[in-house]
């Protein structure tokens, strides 16, 4: 990987643009982000890497509209996220989340977990069911459709979570250490799936990882330390 | 899967807790059905009884007790002179403990007055005259007292004979011990006293004229109040107090139900903070989270309400067979009352869910999911 400028290129319209992004916790006692600047183009695969506590997850949550910055600007397709009238609609339609801890709803089957984000769309019930089946088939879990998360392996749970993240056809997939809780075989399978969906569906993929081997699969990596982007690498 | 499935699943997660909450609500609603049903039934039974006797106006002094205060029998003569009055009958109605029965209605009636006309003999005979130490029992009263024709009956210190069993055309009549007014006055030492005058008006008398007559009665006999049959019991201060107590006790029970549902919903929301944050993270609107919590609590109220209505109705049916109540009243278990009880239960659910719903809508997913 070679160091490049944070700007991914003038030719591409940035899907995300962060200018001096800051996030404090505990009334300013903890500075999770300390003036972060970057641009991410539509369709790009960007890895965010760095040691624990450097602000990777906080940054990802900002991109996903789960948290508000305390300073700076974060734009999505040129519009400040702070000015969006309905952040939940942004999360429902534009963003797909994959978490390290899967975060599946324990009392719902795989099939039902995948349908849950679709309540915020106008899809009729039968279409929601068809879509969920199609996505579970796409992640290779058609035989685990009616299983509760507790009856699934870690890798299977993460695949259900990936299917759920794709339910509303998002433009952006945000993955927070998606392989962090998995054995190496499952981790490889999950990562391959995420990368495959990114390519097939031309989604922007922002993946947080502390594993440099995974970061190397991205087209670009933002290296963070102490709440700042200290380096950026692009794959040659 | 529908949104309703999500709501039901939320309640099914903790079945024991949901079950206990349902028990709490259903007891509250059962109290509403039983207490209000009994008080309304009492009112209705009394009204039907008066109508069965062919009474149009009741003259009495309904103060704070359930039975009217005694007054001079001479009042009847003053009222009998008034226009539109076709007949009058003096009575002494009392609730008394008779032998093993805790509370029976004693209906002492002026001999040969129209209030005897509605009584149909089932067995035995009517008393031969006003002085005969004899009573007739309504059918239910006979069952409650376990008396047959020819049996003795103890009223205070006097023993009288049961000479007949009658049917009166109303539950109150069937549940009464009926005897002549003069005999009752002698037994109870209330000579010259009555506490009710039943007035029958001429057939052509209009409602306005009945109202005017009531006012006239009050003018000639200020110590009593005259009211048309339909308003008789509801105008009683004592009965109003009973009704208020029924509602008051019921609402207290309902309040306990509210606290139960609120506690359950708050626990549910606290336990599901993480889950709610996941739902927010994957795009659910805060309004949908609020709806989910409110639907869950409303559903708890609805199911608790239905169970409460069934329990309340069953409890009333059981109470009706007890000697203390049997024959006194027919509880009102009308569809209207049962529907009101279920509506109250749903409102209890929704109101109890308001704070938990508001709390859940304020959660910020970022902080929780960051761990």
């Amino acid at each position: 990987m070679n160091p490049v400028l944070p700007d991914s290129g003038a030719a591409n319209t940035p899907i995300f643009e962060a200018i001096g992004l800051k996030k404090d916790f505990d009334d300013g006692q903890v500075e999770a982000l300390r003036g972060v600047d970057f641009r991410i183009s539509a369709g790009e695969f960007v890895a965010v890497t760095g040691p624990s506590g450097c602000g990777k997850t906080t940054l990802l949550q900002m991109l996903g509209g789960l948290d508000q910055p305390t300073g700076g600007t974060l734009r999505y397709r040129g519009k400040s996220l702070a000015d969006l009238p309905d952040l939940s609609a942004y999360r429902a339609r534009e963003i797909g989340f994959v978490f390290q801890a899967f975060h599946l709803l324990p009392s719902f089957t795989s099939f039902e977990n995948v349908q849950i984000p679709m309540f915020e769309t106008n899809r009729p019930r039968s279409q929601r069911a068809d879509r969920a089946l199609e996505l579970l088939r796409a992640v290779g879990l058609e035989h685990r459709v009616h299983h509760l998360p507790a009856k699934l392996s870690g890798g299977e749970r993460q695949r259900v979570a990936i299917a759920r993240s794709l339910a509303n056809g998002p433009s952006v997939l945000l993955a927070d250490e998606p392989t962090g809780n998995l054995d190496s075989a499952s981790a490889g399978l999950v990562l391959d799936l995420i990368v495959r969906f990114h390519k097939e569906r031309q989604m922007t993929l922002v993946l947080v990882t502390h594993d440099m081997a995974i970061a190397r699969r991205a087209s670009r990596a933002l290296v963070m330390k102490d709440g700042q982007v200290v380096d950026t690498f692009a794959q040659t | 899967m529908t949104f309703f499935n999500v709501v039901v699943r939320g309640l099914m997660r903790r079945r024991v807790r949901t079950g206990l909450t349902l028990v709490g609500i259903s007891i509250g609603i059962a109290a509403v059905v039983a207490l209000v049903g009994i008080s309304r039934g009492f009112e209705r039974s009394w009204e039907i009884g008066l109508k069965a006797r062919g009474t149009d106006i009741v003259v009495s002094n309904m103060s704070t007790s359930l039975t009217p205060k005694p007054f001079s029998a001479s009042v009847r003569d003053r009222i009998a002179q008034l226009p539109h009055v076709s007949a009058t009958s003096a009575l002494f109605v009392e609730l008394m403990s008779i032998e093993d029965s805790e509370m029976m209605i004693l209906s002492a009636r002026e001999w040969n007055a129209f209030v005897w006309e509605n009584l149909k003999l089932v067995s035995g005979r009517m008393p031969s005259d006003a002085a005969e130490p004899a009573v007739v029992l309504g059918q239910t009263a006979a069952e409650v007292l376990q008396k047959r024709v020819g049996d003795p009956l103890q009223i205070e210190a006097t023993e009288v004979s049961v000479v007949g069993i009658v049917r009166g055309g109303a539950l109150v009549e069937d549940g009464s011990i009926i005897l002549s007014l003069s005999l009752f006055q002698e037994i109870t030492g209330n000579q010259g006293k009555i506490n009710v005058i039943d007035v029958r008006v001429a057939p052509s008398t209009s409602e306005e004229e009945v109202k005017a007559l009531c006012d006239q009665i009050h003018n000639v006999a200020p110590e009593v109040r005259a009211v048309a049959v339909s308003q008789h019991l509801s105008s009683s201060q004592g009965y109003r107090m009973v009704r208020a107590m029924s509602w008051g006790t019921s609402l207290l029970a309902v309040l306990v139900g509210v606290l139960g549902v609120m506690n359950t919903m708050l626990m549910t929301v606290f336990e599901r903070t993480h889950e709610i944050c996941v739902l927010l993270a994957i795009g659910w609107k805060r309004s949908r989270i609020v709806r989910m919590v409110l639907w869950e609590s409303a559903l708890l109220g609805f199911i608790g309400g239905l169970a409460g209505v069934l329990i309340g109705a069953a409890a009333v049916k059981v109470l009706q067979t007890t000697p203390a109540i049997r024959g006194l009243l027919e509880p009102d278990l009308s569809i209207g009352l049962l529907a009101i009880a279920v509506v109250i239960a749903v409102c209890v659910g929704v109101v109890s869910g308001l704070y938990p719903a508001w709390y859940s809508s304020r959660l910020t997913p970022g902080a929780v999911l960051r761990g």
Side-chain angles (χ1 to χ4, degrees), chain A residues 67 91 103 107 112 120, chain B residues 9 274 280 284 288 370:
Chain A
D67 224 334
R91 287 195 293 262
H103 292 325
S107 51
E112 291 165 337
E120 289 300 339
Chain B
R9 206 68 65 83
H274 182 266
L280 288 169
W284 271 32
R288 186 175 290 276
R370 204 168 26 245

Side-chain angles (χ1 to χ4, degrees), chain B residues 6 20 35 52 55 73-74 79 92 102 138 142 192 195 204 228 288 305 322 327 332 334 338 345 350:
Chain B
V6 178
L20 288 173
L35 295 173
T55 304
S74 64
I79 292 169
F92 208 118
E102 284 171 21
N195 66 358
S204 57
R288 186 175 290 276
T322 59
D332 175 14
S334 61
L338 302 185
V350 173

Side-chain angles (χ1 to χ4, degrees), chain A residues 25 57-58 61 66-67 86 88-89 91-92 97 99 103 105-109 112 115-117 119-120 125 128 164 168, chain B residues 1-3 5-6 9-10 13 274-286 288 291 364-367 369-370:
Chain A
F25 294 110
T57 296
T58 303
Q61 292 198 342
L66 296 183
D67 224 334
D86 185 1
S88 59
R91 287 195 293 262
F97 258 110
F99 303 94
H103 292 325
L105 304 186
S107 51
F108 293 86
T109 62
E112 291 165 337
Q115 288 182 66
I116 281 172
F119 282 112
E120 289 300 339
R125 188 176 161 186
R128 289 200 299 264
R164 180 182 67 183
N168 293 334
Chain B
M1 186 175 63
T2 61
F3 183 61
N5 295 131
V6 178
R9 206 68 65 83
R13 287 160 60 106
H274 182 266
E275 184 176 316
I276 289 167
C277 288
V278 171
L279 291 171
L280 288 169
I282 62 177
W284 271 32
K285 285 188 168 68
R286 291 185 189 278
R288 186 175 290 276
R291 265 186 290 152
T364 46
L369 297 180
R370 204 168 26 245

